[in-house]
Amino acid sequence: MASDLLIRGARIIDGTGAPWFLGDVQISDGRIASIGPSLRAEGSNTLDADGRYLAPGFIDAHCHDDLICLREPERVEKAVQGVTTVVVGNCSFSLYPTAPQSADLLRQHFSGLLGETATDEVFDSFAAYRDELHRRGTALNLVSLVGHAALRLAVMGYERRPATAEEVAKMQAMLAHQLADGAAGLSLGLVYPPSAYADRAELIALAETVKAHGKILAAHIRSYEGGLIASTDEFLDLLRTSNAAGLLSHLQSAGRPNWGNVPNVIERLESARRDGIDVSFDMYPYPAGSSYVLQLLPPEAQEGGLDALRAQLRDPQGREALRRAVEEGSADPHAAQSKIVLIGWGNVRVSGTSNPNLKRFEGKSMVDAAAEEGISPFDLMVRFIEEDAGQTAIVMFQLHEDDLHAACTHRLHMVGSDGLPRPGTKPHPRAYGTFPRVAGRLQREHAWFSLEDAVRRMTSVAAQRFSLSDRGLVRPGMVADLVLFDEGIDDRATFDSPTELAAGVQHVWVAGEAIVADGRVTGQRPGRMLGN
């Protein structure tokens, strides 16, 4: 149980974007009891802030910490960034729900993104996942979205076809059960099979279920490349038709031929809002993205799952057809653009493998790693699919700084790391540095926003989007999820040294209990699954 605490002499950034003010904050029974100048301690423990900044705990509006929160409950790299709440289940990847026939399929699906997932790490429901999380304990709070892929796998596996009306109804019923139990909404991953195989009728029906429960619809849209505008319009159509509130995941325009499109998308979002559509977006503050090696393939290549893909690669004609699709792209103007055609093998870096025999490739570009083996980058990719079960994580350098700036400084933006935590690998540094990067160098050295606006993007904006009515602001009565940091807050993780811990955060509280004290993780686990 958290003890009462008086924080004296802090520069309070309240999360609204208003200028900081000097004051004291009294915490009692895990909530903010009072705020003001020269408050009396009245038996509370006292902490002198020495003029450091006190802000609401940062909310990671988009990450993939579903599995790592079970395995590493202290969440060290997030805690020392000042993060107190993470939103998981994004891009159609959640650890639930399963049907008896889909548990292994979901485990395989999730393993592709985050490495080998055990049989006891996928769950039949949101409630089962929540209960296991609480049983193990967690330092951070979680908000969990239902992954569309889990619904489709449970009802129709990896079949690449429109769902029947009966199948859609089953998915709706399964989704409704999770939402009623407290899941925050539904996430789509329309570039990732099997979510990629859904048609408009299925997506509209699921969006209507989301709306009926007053939850959120988040979407990794079908394309962030040449199809970005059309994919945005597809998402806006879902929101317009269903009247659901929406969150467009990690807004970006990938590949040199497509640079410059982010302002066009933002204008579409603003126009939609003028028409009454409740939509916003998240984005991470880095020019590179991260995913898994299967994203380099066209979505249709994954029909039937990993075994079917491997069979195709073992057939000479099938393998050559896939090579052409990956390295030359499709002549069909409506087909998804090839990542490799857009950015080249040299801009794809191996960041994580599950097979220890492949660890030596981590941190190297596909070109350099393939040259060491005396094979082509495509053949190396095939090797990862064969020997690493498609679980190889990659970093893709594909974005332009101007587009990144346009997204991250727009009023509809909130901060999400999109981190893919895989211990023992060389992940994208965003998992270790996103929040100090926004509060530190981007506001301090690059003047992308004021410190108060940076904090707003990391706190109240996400709290509002996910209906966290008692978090995201420094106000009396709010839950005491707080972070105390100094002027030198900084991200130290780089693409070459991606697991360096952030600096400048001294104290972090979740519901009034310290999970970081004097810059050190305490090991306490006061976090909960949030939901209603």
Side-chain angles (χ1 to χ4, degrees), residues 396-409:
M396 297 169 288
F397 295 88
Q398 58 186 359
L399 310 180
H400 192 279
E401 194 77 13
D402 290 347
D403 279 332
L404 187 64
H405 178 270
C408 291
T409 58

Side-chain angles (χ1 to χ4, degrees), residues 148-149 151-153 155-156 159 161-165 167-169 171-172 175 186 188 190 194-209 217 222 238:
H148 176 218
L151 302 176
R152 234 182 184 256
L153 289 171
V155 173
M156 53 190 302
E159 293 187 41
R161 61 170 176 81
T164 66
E167 289 167 336
V168 170
M171 283 187 262
Q172 286 183 286
L175 172 61
L186 173 69
L188 307 176
L190 297 177
S195 184
Y197 302 151
D199 65 2
R200 182 178 185 272
E202 176 182 332
L203 297 176
I204 290 292
L206 293 173
E208 289 173 344
T209 300
L217 179 67
R222 288 196 195 273
L238 298 180

Side-chain angles (χ1 to χ4, degrees), residues 210-229:
V210 170
K211 169 60 180 176
H213 286 79
K215 302 298 178 79
I216 190 81
L217 179 67
H220 180 131
I221 56 179
R222 288 196 195 273
S223 173
Y224 294 93
E225 296 85 25
L228 175 62
I229 299 297

Side-chain angles (χ1 to χ4, degrees), residues 72-85:
E72 297 182 4
E74 286 77 19
R75 301 303 298 115
V76 173
E77 73 271 18
K78 284 289 175 68
V80 299
Q81 292 182 64
V83 173
T84 56
T85 299

Side-chain angles (χ1 to χ4, degrees), residues 68-300:
I68 200 71
C69 282
L70 293 172
R71 294 178 175 178
E72 297 182 4
E74 286 77 19
R75 301 303 298 115
V76 173
E77 73 271 18
K78 284 289 175 68
V80 299
Q81 292 182 64
V83 173
T84 56
T85 299
V86 295
V87 180
V88 301
N90 285 287
C91 303
S92 83
F93 291 88
S94 65
L95 292 171
Y96 68 90
T98 63
Q101 72 276 10
S102 72
D104 284 344
L105 288 175
L106 183 60
R107 184 176 62 80
Q108 185 183 93
H109 176 72
F110 206 89
S111 296
L113 188 69
L114 288 167
E116 191 63 33
T117 304
T119 55
D120 63 349
E121 292 176 326
V122 294
F123 302 90
D124 63 6
S125 65
F126 164 82
Y129 175 54
R130 176 199 61 205
D131 292 349
E132 182 61 15
L133 187 81
H134 288 173
R135 187 186 70 80
R136 301 187 190 195
T138 172
L140 308 183
N141 301 311
L142 279 80
V143 173
S144 182
L145 299 167
V146 182
H148 176 218
L151 302 176
R152 234 182 184 256
L153 289 171
V155 173
M156 53 190 302
Y158 270 102
E159 293 187 41
R160 185 165 66 97
R161 61 170 176 81
T164 66
E166 182 181 1
E167 289 167 336
V168 170
K170 288 180 179 179
M171 283 187 262
Q172 286 183 286
M174 184 174 281
L175 172 61
H177 182 68
Q178 315 313 312
L179 298 178
D181 279 352
L186 173 69
S187 79
L188 307 176
L190 297 177
V191 73
Y192 297 110
S195 184
Y197 302 151
D199 65 2
R200 182 178 185 272
E202 176 182 332
L203 297 176
I204 290 292
L206 293 173
E208 289 173 344
T209 300
V210 170
K211 169 60 180 176
H213 286 79
K215 302 298 178 79
I216 190 81
L217 179 67
H220 180 131
I221 56 179
R222 288 196 195 273
S223 173
Y224 294 93
E225 296 85 25
L228 175 62
I229 299 297
S231 296
T232 300
D233 288 346
E234 178 189 30
F235 182 48
L236 292 175
D237 172 60
L238 298 180
L239 302 182
R240 182 180 294 106
T241 304
S242 67
N243 204 31
L247 180 63
L248 197 160
S249 298
H250 40 59
L251 174 58
Q252 58 191 274
S253 189
R256 183 181 295 273
N258 306 311
W259 289 348
N261 270 331
V262 165
N264 297 328
V265 172
I266 288 174
E267 176 50 38
R268 271 175 154 73
L269 300 180
E270 287 284 18
S271 177
R273 288 188 66 84
R274 290 192 290 271
D275 291 340
I277 298 174
D278 184 2
V279 64
S280 53
F281 64 88
D282 63 67
M283 184 53 187
Y284 48 85
Y286 294 86
S290 185
S291 188
Y292 63 131
V293 72
L294 297 182
Q295 196 186 3
L296 301 178
L297 301 172
E300 59 269 20

